[in-house]
Amino acid sequence: MDDDVETTAWDVIEHWENEADMAAYLDTAVETGDPALVVAALEDMARALKQKPYLLDHSGTLKWPQDGLAYQQELRDEWT
């Protein structure tokens, strides 16, 4: 068996074009019922908004708390 497996880096935020993409990603994570996956999705979304603030179309679809990182920590504490 050949142990030389080649992989490439893949980052979900590189494939998002707007906030609808992010919302669909979060919805899918929530549907799994896995709190760790929901937290990971929120972390991806926060990272995306730091790197690509233009993803928000400012339609008011996504509501972000003032301190998103504190909110994520609250979710972690609640689910663990």
Side-chain angles (χ1 to χ4, degrees):
M1 182 174 180
D2 187 15
D3 289 334
D4 294 331
V5 176
E6 290 188 35
T7 62
T8 58
W10 190 86
D11 190 351
V12 68
I13 72 170
E14 293 176 10
H15 303 277
W16 290 339
E17 295 180 6
N18 52 46
E19 73 180 50
D21 293 343
M22 292 191 302
Y25 181 74
L26 180 58
D27 287 344
T28 301
V30 169
E31 288 173 5
T32 68
D34 182 350
L37 192 55
V38 173
V39 169
L42 289 170
E43 289 171 345
D44 287 340
M45 293 171 73
R47 189 169 48 88
L49 291 176
K50 283 183 181 179
Q51 293 177 20
K52 301 178 170 189
Y54 58 84
L55 286 173
L56 289 180
D57 66 14
H58 303 289
S59 67
T61 304
L62 291 178
K63 300 293 184 192
W64 291 91
Q66 284 295 92
D67 185 356
L69 294 177
Y71 180 69
Q72 289 178 31
Q73 185 60 48
E74 287 175 28
L75 287 175
R76 272 196 201 103
D77 293 345
E78 184 177 314
W79 289 337
T80 55

